[in-house]
């Protein structure tokens, strides 16, 4: 029973993971799933008449919808109804008063099984951008001083482009001295006289809304450095040299935060005279190759920034007077995103443990919020629901735990949300495919028969034929994961009824599929190439066979040059529009003309298949008259010379053939003759009457005359030839007007005969139990008497050496093509006697076989043990039983047993052992020295002298024994240490235990040396203030499932300076010191007090606690307090994260949580975890440390 229970649990875990990526048919009741939603944000443009916000979900029963706007219930003004549902989630907002609908929307789709929600959809309605009306006074500067003309462009729908132009729409010229910044302002590093003008205008263009706005014109007056009485023609007075400064940015350093993938823009705009130049660098690294410099070097851009692009950048502006620099601290962050994929929906059975993990990344790290059916989810330590940072655990899940769970991860850059449908149910198989569904397939074709099934746990599906319970097997049958069955290359005897049987632990269901394998459609009388005289009727025959059951769908279609021909029947022959008629498979073309010439294709088809055939129709017509007739020369009064261009002969020219036959084939069907055939000329290629072929041949390499024969057919037989002799052959076409061109010579052989000799010197080398190398001396080429095909190896398995009296005579052979003298023969049986021969073959057949050789194959490793069972489990032993392998492949010498101790949570191997079991007749073994209550995996192999065969595996658990129990376990926590106290039973006063603790932030375990239980307490010091730890008491120095006690604690945080209390002035402090002194004098009494009161002792707290960053929301009323006057089991610090209203619980590592089995502990009223602890189980993969030090869980 224990083994059955373990297998059942393993099955449940496997079923849960296998159900990931849930796709439940809508015929089954299920919670809603969002299938369509509007992706935000939405920007409503001024010319948009309506804004549609979509939300569609599927579910059974059909979902109902509701919306919230900015967290408050919202009733949409115009709902669009889905045709499949009576209620719809999509609504429409009209452009009138659209501004009032600006906000963040969320859709809720609900039915009786749960609620799915969408991500927030933000709708923004930007106003029409415009500059404010203002009067701007002229900007008066001295020559050489910097000038900044501010644009302050209005916000609007991006993208936005800024331009500086004059009133006359002339662009303001920009260069290293004058340029526009990314903020839209126009910067002058130094003003010159030519900058005097009254009409500097800033224009902002918004292309998406097709709008351009203009700022009031600004005037710049540059005061000259020349005295008023100095003439304009006097020598130029340059502005004084001025050390560079930065107009943009201000200060010494700027922090630049941007998202991964965005474009980085760093800008340094200098001022000074002469005009400074700008250089860029990255401290400690080279600038990326994607770096570009724009705006005359003042703007550095890097496209698609990555995390490696972050760091410190520096710009330097310099001129002849000096330099100035500025530092940029670039930080690359990232919105939340799924590390692999969103958490998947799950279907599992009642009693399973369900883990929903929300694995997200981002920078800064996202905050994770959990909801159930749209309502915020809280941790419930007393129940079966635990909510950790990124994981929700449902322990021993029940059907009422079925719901839609939402995981939403957000940081300052955005959020992601996943709806996870959790369905807890036990349901017998429900087959959704119609019973007695009929399927048809053409002989030789492929067919898929469906069997759509739903059940929980997921059913096993079996296909059987004709009501037999035997599963269908064979290399032509392929069952799919979705329950369907595919049959490849269907045969006639595949027709019949097929049963799909689906079963799980809740029940069984069946459905029948009917398969009919049809005869293929085949053209038996295809159309033939033909020549037809213009004006007559052409007839192309096309007769086909088809399956009688498909008669209603059978049809014949004709195409000409790929285009379908419009047909008419004889009954409709009065319609002169059509010249094409079909009667009993024959196509008739009336009054053929030159346009009817082409390739005709006949297609015979049914609803399942088709066949086609083609023919060339050549139309013969009267040649056209010659063109361009003229007299080219008059030689005498009685002679003239005429010339002309011939007209089109319309396939009716008369001349000698202009080509010879092709595709000449020379074959020897009989040993003493040679068959010659070729592809005849088409009728159109005859070029005149009396076509015949001249066949010429002679032996290759022999100087003798050609032998010629004239034939009309396109084949010729040369008789009385020598066997397999090479010949030269050529074929020339000719008609009554002459011969065709000189033909090409081809080479062929006369007829073959079977080989006359056998290979010699056969040698055999046994490579292993199933592989053989055979070699031979090849036969002389003259004895092959044909084209060498290769060699055949024939072998016979006479008997098994285990049973020589049973004659087998199993015959096998392999062909090895080509010229060779050895081959590798696979597939032999171990420990057997064989005989072997070799023969040569050609196209005519095999030659005589060689002399027979005899050999034995050695022993091999045996097959798999036929059966392995584990039973009669005790605390430290298990009885194993087995059956010997069916194929021993030799003489059994014994068995090899390997067994592994398995961690039941991670399924990792903790320890491994092996042993040899001698005696071939041994079929059971009691394995001793096992650990109690642990899972073991056994591998048993049968062995011969050649080695051990493949193992058969079985798993079983030993009987559980309870761990040592301690009473009144409690903890006291300060800022840098923790005291763990207990009371040991009388019989365990001198026992040993170990104290282990883990910082939940880094996952490292530290284990103490052995502690005597009579000591009644242990102090863990060196802890960090305000940190969460997991503490364990263990009976042995091994981080496994068998801990005596486990608790999550949090150290206190040092109080603020203003909150310190002078403990020495408190009365309780003086009383405590007196008690300590008294206990020191009476040591035995102190030991008695510690033993009977759980080892309590007083601690002087140096500082009070105050809230830290991780404990947001805590106040003076809810904060955990400590009293040194009366020590208690931990009140506050160790359990604040579990019982209080604080937020510390969010920082507790999920890896430190424990499932407490059988009610072995409880929380008391002040939040401490006390009581007797036994049978604690923790799902974590660990390894045993070799000494004190960190252990990574």
């Amino acid at each position: 029973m224990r083994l059955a229970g373990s297998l059942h649990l393993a099955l449940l875990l496997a079923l849960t993971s296998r159900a990931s990526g849930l796709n439940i048919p809508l015929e089954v009741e299920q919670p809603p799933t969002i299938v369509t939603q509007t992706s935000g944000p939405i920007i409503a443009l001024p010319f948009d008449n309506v804004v549609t916000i979509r939300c569609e979900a599927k579910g059974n029963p059909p979902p109902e919808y509701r919306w919230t706007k900015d967290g408050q219930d919202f009733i949409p003004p115009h709902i669009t109804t889905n045709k499949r549902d009576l209620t719809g989630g999509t609504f429409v907002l009209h452009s009138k008063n659209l501004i009032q609908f600006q906000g963040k929307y969320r859709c809720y789709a609900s039915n009786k099984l749960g609620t799915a929600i969408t991500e927030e959809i933000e709708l923004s309605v930007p106003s029409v951008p415009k500059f404010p009306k203002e009067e701007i006074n002229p900007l008066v500067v001295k020559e050489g001083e910097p000038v900044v003309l501010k644009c302050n462009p209005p916000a609007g729908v991006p993208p936005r482009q800024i331009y500086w132009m004059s009133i006359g729409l002339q662009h303001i010229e920009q260069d290293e001295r004058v340029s526009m910044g990314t903020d839209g302002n126009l910067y002058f590093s130094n003003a010159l006289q030519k900058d005097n003008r009254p009409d500097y205008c800033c224009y902002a263009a918004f292309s998406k809304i097709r709008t351009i706005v203009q700022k009031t014109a600004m005037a710049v007056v540059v005061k000259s450095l020349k005295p008023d009485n100095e003439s304009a023609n006097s020598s130029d007075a340059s502005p004084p040299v001025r050390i560079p400064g930065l107009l943009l940015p201000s200060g010494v350093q700027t922090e630049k935060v941007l998202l991964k993938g965005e474009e980085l823009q760093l800008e340094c705009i200098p001022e000074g005279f002469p005009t400074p130049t700008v250089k860029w660098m990255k401290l400690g690294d080279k600038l990326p190759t994607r770096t570009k410099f724009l705006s005359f070097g003042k703007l550095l851009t890097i496209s698609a920034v990555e995390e490696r692009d972050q760091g410190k950048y520096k710009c330097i502006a310099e001129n002849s007077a000096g330099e100035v620099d500025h530092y940029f601290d670039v930080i690359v962050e990232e919105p939340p995103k799924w590390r692999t994929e969103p958490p998947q929906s799950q279907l599992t059975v009642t009693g399973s443990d369900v883990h929903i993990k929300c694995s997200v990344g981002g920078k800064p790290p996202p905050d994770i919020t959990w909801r159930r059916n749209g309502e915020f989810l809280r941790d419930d330590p007393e129940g079966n629901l635990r909510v950790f940072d990124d994981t929700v655990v449902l322990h021993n899940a029940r059907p009422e735990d079925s719901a839609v769970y939402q995981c939403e991860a957000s940081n300052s850059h955005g959020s992601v949300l996943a709806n996870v449908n959790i369905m807890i149910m036990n349901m017998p198989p429900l087959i959704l495919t119609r019973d007695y569904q009929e399927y048809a397939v053409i002989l030789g074709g492929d067919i898929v028969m469906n069997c759509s099934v739903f059940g929980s746990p997921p059913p096993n599906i079996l296909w059987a034929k004709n009501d037999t319970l035997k599963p269908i097997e064979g290399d032509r049958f392929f069952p799919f994961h979705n329950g369907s069955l595919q049959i490849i290359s269907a045969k006639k005897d595949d027709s019949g009824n097929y049963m799909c049987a689906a079963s799980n632990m809740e029940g069984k269901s069946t459905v029948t599929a009917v398969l009919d394998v049809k005869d293929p459609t085949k053209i038996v009388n295809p159309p033939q190439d033909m020549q037809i005289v213009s004006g007559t009727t052409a007839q192309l025959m096309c007769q086909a066979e088809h399956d009688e059951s498909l008669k209603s769908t059978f049809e014949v279609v004709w195409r000409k040059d790929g285009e379908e021909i419009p047909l008419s029947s004889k009954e409709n022959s009065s319609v002169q529009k059509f010249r094409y008629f079909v009667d009993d498979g024959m196509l008739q073309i009336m009054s053929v003309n030159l346009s009817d010439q082409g390739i005709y294709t006949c297609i015979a088809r049914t609803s399942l298949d088709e066949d086609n055939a083609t023919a060339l129709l050549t139309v013969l017509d009267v040649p056209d008259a010659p063109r361009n007739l003229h007299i080219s020369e008059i030689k005498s009064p009685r002679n003239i010379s005429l010339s002309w261009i011939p007209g089109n002969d319309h396939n009716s020219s008369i001349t000698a053939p202009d080509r010879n036959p092709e595709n000449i084939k020379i074959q020897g069907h009989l040993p003493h003759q040679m068959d010659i055939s070729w592809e005849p000329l088409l009728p159109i290629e005859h070029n005149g009457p009396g076509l015949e072929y001249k066949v010429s041949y002679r032996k290759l390499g022999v100087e003798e005359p050609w032998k010629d024969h004239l034939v009309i057919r396109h084949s010729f037989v040369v008789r009385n030839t020598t066997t397999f002799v090479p010949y030269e052959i050529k074929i020339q076409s000719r008609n009554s007007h002459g011969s065709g061109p000189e033909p090409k010579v081809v080479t062929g052989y006369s007829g073959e005969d079977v080989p006359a000799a056998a290979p010699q010197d056969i040698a055999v080398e046994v490579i292993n139990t199933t592989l053989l190398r055979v070699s031979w001396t090849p036969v002389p080429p003259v004895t092959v008497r044909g084209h060498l095909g290769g060699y055949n190896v024939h072998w016979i398995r006479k008997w098994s050496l285990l049973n020589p009296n049973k004659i087998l005579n199993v015959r096998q052979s392999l062909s090895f093509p080509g010229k060779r003298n050895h081959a590798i023969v696979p597939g032999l049986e171990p420990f057997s006697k064989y005989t072997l021969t070799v023969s040569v073959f050609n196209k005519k057949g095999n030659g005589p076989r060689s002399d027979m050789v005899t050999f034995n194959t050695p022993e091999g490793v045996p097959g798999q043990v036929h059966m392995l069972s584990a039973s009669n489990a005790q605390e430290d032993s298990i009885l194993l039983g087995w059956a010997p392998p069916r194929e021993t492949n030799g003489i059994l010498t014994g068995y090899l047993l390997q067994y592994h101790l398995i961690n039941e949570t991670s399924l990792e191997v903790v320890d491994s052992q092996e042993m040899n079991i001698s005696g071939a007749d041994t079929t059971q073994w009691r394995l001793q020295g096992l650990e109690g209550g642990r899972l073991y995996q056994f591998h048993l192999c049968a062995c011969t002298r050649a080695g051990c065969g493949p193992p058969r595996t079985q798993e079983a658990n030993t009987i559980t024994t309870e761990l040592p129990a301690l009473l009144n376990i409690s903890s006291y926590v300060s800022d840098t240490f923790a005291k763990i106290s207990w009371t040991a039973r009388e019989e365990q006063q001198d026992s040993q235990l170990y104290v282990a603790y883990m910082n939940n932030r880094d996952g490292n375990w530290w284990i103490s040396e052995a502690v005597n239980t009579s000591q009644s307490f242990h102090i863990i010091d060196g802890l960090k203030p305000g940190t969460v730890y997991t503490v364990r008491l263990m009976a042995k120095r091994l981080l496994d499932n068998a801990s005596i006690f486990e608790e999550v604690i949090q150290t206190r945080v040092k109080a603020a300076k203003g909150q310190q209390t002078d403990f020495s002035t408190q009365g309780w402090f003086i009383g405590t010191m007196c008690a300590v002194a008294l206990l020191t004098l009476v040591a035995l009494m102190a030991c008695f007090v510690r033993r009977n009161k759980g080892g309590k002792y007083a601690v002087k707290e140096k500082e009070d606690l105050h809230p830290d960053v991780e404990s947001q929301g805590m106040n003076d009323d809810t904060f955990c307090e400590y009293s040194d006057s009366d020590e208690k089991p931990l009140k506050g610090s160790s359990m604040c994260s579990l019982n209080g209203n604080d937020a510390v619980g969010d920082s507790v590592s999920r890896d430190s949580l424990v499932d407490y089995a059988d009610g072995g502990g409880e929380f008391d009223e002040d939040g401490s975890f006390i009581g007797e602890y036994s049978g604690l189980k923790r799902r974590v993969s660990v390894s045993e440390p070799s000494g004190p030090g960190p252990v990574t869980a």
Side-chain angles (χ1 to χ4, degrees), residues 1046-1060:
E1046 178 165 335
E1047 186 180 36
V1048 179
I1049 65 172
Q1050 182 177 13
T1051 52
R1052 299 176 63 181
V1053 183
K1054 293 183 179 181
K1057 189 172 183 179
Q1059 294 177 316
Q1060 293 180 350

Side-chain angles (χ1 to χ4, degrees), residues 769 830 858-863 887-890 892 942-950:
T769 59
E859 285 189 76
V861 297
E887 298 292 338
T888 59
N889 297 330
L892 286 182
C943 302
T944 64
R945 286 174 295 183
C948 297

Side-chain angles (χ1 to χ4, degrees), residues 118-297:
T118 65
E119 295 180 357
E120 284 195 324
I121 307 166
E122 183 177 3
L123 171 63
S124 59
V125 185
S127 58
V128 177
K130 58 183 177 180
F131 283 102
K133 293 183 178 180
E134 56 183 339
E135 292 186 5
I136 304 175
N137 294 324
L139 188 60
V140 180
V141 296
K142 293 182 180 179
E143 191 173 3
E145 291 182 349
V147 179
V148 179
L149 298 181
K150 294 186 176 181
C151 179
N152 297 327
V157 179
R160 181 186 67 185
Q161 290 181 299
I162 309 298
Y163 304 95
W164 282 90
M165 294 187 288
S166 65
I167 291 292
L169 299 181
Q170 297 295 319
H171 284 277
I172 303 298
E173 184 178 352
Q174 299 185 28
D175 52 22
E176 290 185 351
R177 183 179 66 87
V178 181
S179 63
M180 183 181 71
T182 55
D183 56 3
N185 296 338
L186 190 63
Y187 294 89
F188 297 75
S189 295
N190 47 77
L192 301 179
Q193 283 294 317
K194 63 180 181 179
D195 298 327
N196 272 305
R197 66 183 308 149
D199 58 349
Y200 286 95
C201 294
C202 178
Y203 293 86
F206 302 87
S207 58
K208 207 158 193 177
I209 59 175
R210 301 189 288 275
T211 299
I212 299 177
V213 292
Q214 174 190 346
K215 186 183 177 83
T216 304
M218 292 172 277
V220 174
V221 178
V222 181
K223 301 181 74 176
S224 175
L225 297 178
K226 302 175 184 178
D228 292 340
N229 57 358
E230 188 172 336
S231 66
N233 296 327
S234 62
S235 61
D236 293 338
S238 299
V241 173
R242 193 173 72 257
I243 192 169
L246 287 179
L247 298 174
L248 192 74
S250 60
V252 178
Q253 180 168 318
T254 300
E255 183 179 84
K256 184 78 171 180
V257 179
L258 71 163
L259 294 180
K260 182 179 178 180
E262 292 183 343
E263 182 181 63
L264 172 64
Q265 292 187 342
L266 302 179
E267 190 173 34
C268 280
I269 300 180
E271 58 92 5
F273 190 85
T275 301
T277 58
V278 179
K279 296 187 300 184
W280 294 89
M281 67 176 62
K282 183 179 182 183
L283 303 186
D285 199 359
K286 294 182 179 179
L287 288 172
T289 56
R290 307 185 315 280
T291 305
K292 293 183 179 179
F293 302 100
L294 306 176
S295 189
F296 309 99

